[in-house]
Amino acid sequence: MKLQRHQVVQVMRPGHAGFRAMREAVTTELQWAHVVSAMNIADAVGHPRPHPSRATGVGRGLLRRAMGSGA
């Protein structure tokens, strides 16, 4: 079953918000989890992402900062 465009937009909304928050350095733990889930799904279906080790390291650093700030 193929998703309609509006369904894809709805499903991807939390991940997009998470990526946007990461760029702004205001990521919450929930947003970080959405981003990590999207990256894991991309890996599982074979869509390569740029610099996975760098992205993972950046994500972990942002999570530590968010957890430390109480976000």
Side-chain angles (χ1 to χ4, degrees), residues 38-48:
M39 293 170 69
N40 288 338
I41 291 167
D43 282 345
V45 297
H47 292 285

Side-chain angles (χ1 to χ4, degrees), residues 39 43 47-60:
M39 293 170 69
D43 282 345
H47 292 285
R49 62 178 189 230
H51 311 291
S53 61
R54 182 176 177 206
T56 301
V58 169
R60 287 185 183 140

Side-chain angles (χ1 to χ4, degrees), residues 11-33:
V11 169
M12 294 301 295
R13 191 170 289 136
H16 289 160
F19 280 112
R20 190 171 36 257
M22 287 178 81
R23 285 192 302 271
E24 296 169 3
V26 293
T27 312
T28 66
E29 183 176 5
L30 181 59
Q31 289 169 322
W32 179 84

Side-chain angles (χ1 to χ4, degrees), residues 56-71:
T56 301
V58 169
R60 287 185 183 140
L62 289 169
L63 175 63
R64 277 193 304 273
R65 188 163 50 180
M67 295 297 289
S69 70

